[in-house]
Each structure stands twice: as C-alpha cells, then as structure tokens.
Amino acid sequence: MADAVLAVRNLCKSFGALKATENVSLDLKPGEIHALIGPNGAGKSTLIHQIAGTLAPDSGDIDFLGRPVGHLGVVERARMGLGRSFQVSSLAPEFSALRNVMLAVQSRQGSSFRFFRPVMGDASLIEPAMASLERVGLATRARVPAAELSHGERRQLEIAIALALGSQAFLLDEPMAGMGPEGSRSLTGFLDRLREEAPILLVEHDMDAVFALADRVSVLVYGRIIASGTVDQVRTDPEVRRAYLGDPA
Ligand SMILES: Nc1ncnc2c1ncn2[C@@H]1O[C@H](COP(=O)(O)OP(=O)(O)OP(=O)(O)O)[C@@H](O)[C@H]1O
C-alpha cells in the first residue's frame, strides 16, 4: 500500500500461551479514520502499544511514513510524528492551556539554551502554540488552567500538544471513555475535523462514535482481525454480528 501513512504487517505478540496479537495486518491512509473495535480483552490496547513502541512484538513489521520503525523506541517514533494520546495524560494541570502547548513547542525545538529564559515571554513559542490551539478550536481558552477545562477540552488540548510536537498520525485509545452523551457528541465532531490534520487509528467502544466517524473498521477478536471494511460491510458481516455486535435475531 504505497500511500499508507502507517502499515502493520503480520504482527504477533503472545503472553505465555495467550496469543494477544495473531498475525495482524492493517494500514492507515492519509485523511482517514480507521476504527479498531472488538470485545474486552480482544487485544486492541496491546496492538496500539506495539505500534506506539511501548511493547515489543514477537514478530512482524511496522512501517511509518514509508520507513520501518519496529526497531525504534517510543520516543523516536513520537519524534517521527506517531502521536499517541489519551491514555497517558501529558498535561500539567496548574498551567494554562497555552503554557502546556508552549512547553511542547519548546521541547520540539529542543534548544537547551532556552532553559534559563522564561517560557511565557517567548514570542517564538507563543505563536506556534497559539496556532496549535486554533487548529483544535481552543484559542479562546488559551489562558485557562488545564485543570479548569472540561473533559472534552482537555482531550482537545492533548491533541494541540500532539500537533505542536509534529504528529502525522494519531493512535487514540478510547477517547470517549468517561464522557457523557453531550461530551461524546462534541468530541465526535472534533475528531471528524481532526482527520484532515492527520489520520487516526481509533480504538473505541462507543459504537455511535465509530459508526459516525470511521472510513474503515477492523474487528479484532481474540487477537485476530475477523473482518475489515466500511461501516456498512462490517455491520452486516454475520461473523462480526455473532462475535461482537450481537445478532438481534
Ligand atoms: N502485560 C501483559 N501480560 C499478560 N497478559 C496481558 C498483558 N497485557 C494484556 N494482556 C492480556 O492480553 C489480552 C488482550 O488485552 P488488551 O488489553 O490488549 O485487550 P483490549 O482489547 O484492549 O481490551 P479492553 O477493550 O478491555 O481495553 C487480554 O487477555 C489481557 O489480559
């Protein structure tokens, strides 16, 4: 798949006798949301960990932006623009939204000579940080401490940070977790726009969100992908209905 941003081929990972990832192949193309769904314990998080680099696969290949990344650590993959978000919160709650993003811009610039300079007065940090906040629709909330933002706004702030760090693809593990119906709806609208910034591999149990957002859906059961296709293809697949969605008949 020449134009895939992310390509996973024949990935395998066992924990003792348990095959948590069994020969999984999938890809992520520019501009798309590819949802990964499946019952509890299917191996979704284990797969995301292997792609992000926090867990080593037993075998298989991972290519990102056309380069093999399987041998790289999590920090190197993140530096290349593989952005994982929402499970390990990187926010400093007492700092404003702006300051949180400025710290990300500063770490991307990686210039240690800035160390003794006050972050808040530094125009070369403010401009790109405000631009990231604007991209996620949080510019008007720039001065609000992260702790005072709503749950959904904190998700947006995490994405602004990921964008400031140069993310070229997002690995989102259950972004809707802990959100009420209104929060879920507004985060769904946000993710719908975010795909234009970078494609998203989305692990999510909220089927309303998945069916509203996904260009493609892959269904993972006991570590294996049992179906992959459009929302309609997957929804009507008899094996998927049996194994996961529940057949009303
Ligand atoms: N470090 C580990 N050591 C041993 N077994 C593990 C480890 N991590 C995960 N597992 C097992 O691997 C399987 C897949 O777990 P995983 O958390 O990836 O599933 P999941 O699809 O993300 O589940 P959920 O939807 O509940 O988050 C489970 O049986 C789990 O108990």
Side-chain angles (χ1 to χ4, degrees):
M1 204 66 63
D3 64 347
V5 174
L6 174 72
V8 173
R9 293 286 168 258
N10 306 318
L11 213 62
C12 295
K13 176 75 187 176
S14 294
F15 297 112
L18 176 80
K19 291 182 176 174
T21 308
E22 194 176 354
N23 226 19
V24 166
S25 297
L26 56 80
D27 56 30
L28 186 62
K29 294 177 187 153
E32 82 168 343
I33 295 182
H34 187 156
L36 188 62
I37 64 172
N40 289 330
K44 304 178 297 294
S45 295
T46 302
L47 181 58
I48 294 287
H49 280 293
Q50 291 171 86
I51 297 172
T54 41
L55 188 66
D58 297 332
S59 60
D61 299 307
I62 303 168
D63 286 3
F64 181 57
L65 302 174
R67 288 170 49 193
V69 296
H71 59 293
L72 300 178
V74 61
V75 174
E76 287 163 297
R77 290 185 209 189
R79 259 195 216 121
M80 282 178 71
L82 193 50
R84 182 155 171 263
S85 194
F86 293 167
Q87 277 210 328
V88 188
S89 181
S90 50
L91 302 181
E94 71 279 17
F95 288 171
S96 68
L98 177 62
R99 186 166 187 157
N100 268 283
V101 186
M102 287 170 74
L103 290 169
V105 174
Q106 187 183 41
S107 92
R108 189 180 185 195
Q109 291 177 349
S111 39
S112 53
F113 70 86
R114 290 179 183 282
F115 190 74
F116 297 106
R117 285 175 40 193
V119 174
M120 284 317 281
D122 193 332
S124 73
L125 300 178
I126 292 173
E127 267 178 39
M130 277 308 293
S132 287
L133 287 171
E134 262 158 37
R135 282 160 81 185
V136 304
L138 267 189
T140 58
R141 307 283 279 157
R143 303 284 167 184
V144 178
E148 289 173 27
L149 295 174
S150 72
H151 201 49
E153 286 173 333
R154 282 204 292 276
R155 299 275 197 245
Q156 286 169 248
L157 178 54
E158 287 176 348
I159 294 288
I161 288 171
L163 289 170
L165 290 170
S167 286
Q168 313 239 22
F170 291 108
L171 307 174
L172 304 187
D173 202 349
E174 296 190 37
M176 305 293 167
M179 306 207 100
E182 199 174 311
S184 292
R185 263 195 304 278
S186 111
L187 190 57
T188 299
F190 171 65
L191 295 181
D192 198 17
R193 295 187 297 277
L194 183 66
R195 84 178 96 200
E196 288 156 26
E197 301 273 354
I200 304 169
L201 183 61
L202 174 71
V203 170
E204 187 50 65
H205 283 288
D206 180 336
M207 285 305 117
D208 288 340
V210 167
F211 292 152
L213 286 170
D215 299 290
R216 278 192 297 158
V217 182
S218 291
V219 186
L220 200 65
V221 178
Y222 292 125
R224 284 177 45 241
I225 292 189
I226 62 162
S228 193
T230 63
V231 166
D232 284 345
Q233 285 166 340
V234 161
R235 268 174 125 158
T236 52
D237 184 297
E239 197 181 349
V240 175
R241 297 186 72 84
R242 231 182 356 260
Y244 184 47
L245 294 176
D247 205 325

